[in-house]
Amino acid sequence: MQNIFEFTDRIIHSDCLTALPQLPGGSVDLVLTDPPYLVGYRDRSGRTVAGDDNDSWLLPAFSELHRVLKSGSVCVSFYGWNAVDKFFAAWRSAGFSILGHLVWVKRYCSNTGVLAYCHEQAYLLGKGRVKRPPQPIADVLDWQYTGNPLHPTQKPVRSLKPVIEAFSQRGGIVLDPFCGSGSSLLAAKILRRRYIGVELDRAHCETARRRLGK
């Protein structure tokens, strides 16, 4: 097994089911990730997300994330609300406990169906006994609109910063195994954390590397 620092401050072009087993167990301080939502997503310009058409990767990926995460640490995972049963089953089977729910409120609607969708959401998952932070963040946060120029489900860097600040320390390692265009990793870098990104799509991987290289 390689040393964790051989992987830090890198973005790996790979399937996470290939990359994650190479990481040492109990070596990561925080997982912050936006995996495929299992909804067959397609944006207005026709862009899709790899792995969004099946859930075969779901339990194996989160089992590996539980293994590499330090005991007492957390995983923050976005998810698709209409596939929440599949996410819950995988998270619990992987060994995570459900600690809370985070909601980011948008000042616009990203889609309209029976409801107008004006928020993003993620679950806070714990490994082992997670201590209460000195200053817990609110479970409702603001969403900064940036559009999706770099990725069909791009997340705003500023909106991810409070989570990283709350659940990791300077110099800690933040892992995103579905890093897309690298927003979570850029937020970690700005906050003086080390980062590890994994991305299956070569074009998105190169985008993330360019962002992190600036």
Side-chain angles (χ1 to χ4, degrees), residues 26-64:
S27 59
V28 169
D29 297 285
L30 169 65
V31 174
L32 173 56
T33 193
D34 182 28
Y37 288 179
L38 311 180
V39 295
Y41 179 80
R42 183 180 296 272
D43 72 4
R44 293 180 179 89
S45 63
R47 294 182 298 177
T48 59
V49 176
D52 198 36
D53 59 349
N54 72 90
D55 64 356
S56 61
W57 53 269
L58 186 57
L59 177 55
F62 278 94
S63 295
E64 278 297 314

Side-chain angles (χ1 to χ4, degrees), residues 78-90:
F78 290 84
Y79 67 98
W81 64 266
N82 41 357
V84 69
D85 55 333
K86 296 179 180 178
F87 280 94
F88 258 69

